[in-house]
Amino acid sequence: MLALGIETSCDETAAAVLRDDRTNLSNVVLSQIDEHRPYGGVVPEIAARSHLDHIDGLIAQALDEAGIGFDALDGVAATAGPGLIGGVMVGLMAGKAIALVHGLPFAAVHHMRAHALTPRLTDGIDFPYLALLVSGGHSLLCAVAGPDDFRPYGSTVDDAVGEAFDKSAKLMGLGYPGGPALERAAQGGDPGRFDLPRPMLGRDNLDFSFSGLKTAVRHQVAALGRTGEARDAAALRDLAAAFQAAVGDVLADRAARALETFRAQTGQAGPLVVAGGVAANRALRERLGAVAESAGARLVAPPPALCTDNAAMIAWAGIERLRLGLDDPLDFAPRPRWPLEELAEELARRANAGAAG
Ligand code: KG4
Ligand code: ZN
């Protein structure tokens, strides 16, 4: 099976062609970073217009690099949410149009489920596994038992971890996008110089909270401003390192606890998967590797380019569903908000509709 994947839910326009034996025939990503940089963050209207300008060319390029035409495809997958509505509409409409014109089955893909399924593409792991999903809009832990079977353990009660990176980086004057800038700034810093909070550490649930950490960074930046150190590279380096260490402690604590729950439920010691844009962070990957090891589990983290947004993961999530015969109708509406676990209800609705029809 050959599938085309399309991703337009945030600030990357992307298209990819994958085969169901996990071969990546092409994977093109066009970042909009330069268009959003003057505004210090993603501007939804600019994002949507830019997706519209580039989506056709990118799809053509993905097919070209794969050395195929539309006629060779067996299916089309596009992100249908969650994400910025204008962008999601562009990719979803493009995918539906191609499916309609070429008579192909269509998969409306959940962006976060696609992140969570990526290790099956990159490492061929089996279900079930524990996934820690960390991106710009989401932070959550869940057991993944099938392409449509996600059991949430916990999620953030306020900011997502990527959001905390982005906002903290902005407060520190590190620019946009904040995650990679903060990681660079933290190199060689002393994580012990600033005392930042570890929200939710040790709590007996599996939720996260990051807004307190961001607020602590704000206070610290203000304090550095009073002493004239706010632009001092060494001070920023230490603050960035302290921030990363605090996030590392929180993620490690939550993941360790989730691994215990996962083992109690499945009898399996992992694997632990980390995916989503923040999973590109080297320090956090190392930290989670240690957590997995002490639980006797394996850490599976996709290569950084497949942690941040891309269309290979969308094509793969589409393949996972289409090969089970789970295609979606062409009137599938874009879903800017779309809970991860909702699919069980959808499937029940469909079964009922089938029984009624
Ligand atoms: O998955 P993603 O590319 O897009 C969303 O679905 O949100 O994740 C983007 C998030 C941003 O918050 C970005 O700052 C963060 O991932 N990120 C990182 C790194 N690379 C991207 N955070 C920390 N360290 C990184 N190296
Ligand atoms: Zn993402």
Side-chain angles (χ1 to χ4, degrees), residues 111 115 135 309 313:
H111 179 90
H115 275 304
S135 73
D309 286 349
M313 70 178 193

Side-chain angles (χ1 to χ4, degrees), residues 12 82 201 210 212 243 252 258 305 331:
E12 263 102 21
L201 206 76
F210 292 104
F243 173 87
D331 63 356

Side-chain angles (χ1 to χ4, degrees), residues 264-309:
Q265 287 181 358
T266 63
Q268 263 183 227
L272 170 65
V273 155
V274 60
V278 182
N281 186 287
R282 293 263 300 277
L284 296 179
R285 290 162 81 100
E286 272 169 30
R287 198 65 213 283
L288 292 164
V291 168
E293 200 183 319
S294 50
R298 177 176 161 219
L299 176 75
V300 185
L306 291 178
C307 285
T308 49
D309 286 349

Side-chain angles (χ1 to χ4, degrees), residues 195-278:
D195 187 21
L196 297 178
R198 267 79 174 146
M200 311 296 263
L201 206 76
R203 286 281 178 88
D204 69 352
N205 60 21
L206 289 167
D207 287 332
F208 305 90
S209 164
F210 292 104
S211 78
L213 182 54
K214 170 196 67 191
T215 305
V217 169
R218 172 176 290 126
H219 291 318
Q220 204 56 68
V221 170
L224 289 174
R226 286 193 292 276
T227 57
E229 292 173 284
R231 296 189 186 285
D232 175 41
L236 290 179
R237 187 163 65 227
D238 293 343
L239 185 55
F243 173 87
Q244 233 173 223
V247 171
D249 282 353
V250 172
L251 294 182
D253 175 75
R254 308 282 78 192
R257 201 180 170 80
L259 278 166
E260 287 171 19
T261 306
F262 184 77
R263 188 201 283 268
Q265 287 181 358
T266 63
Q268 263 183 227
L272 170 65
V273 155
V274 60
V278 182

Side-chain angles (χ1 to χ4, degrees), residues 2 59 64 84 112 134 163 177 241 262 321 327 330:
L2 272 185
I59 291 171
D64 215 42
L84 300 171
M112 294 311 295
V134 280
E163 197 178 349
F262 184 77
R321 303 212 29 230
D327 60 334
L330 291 180

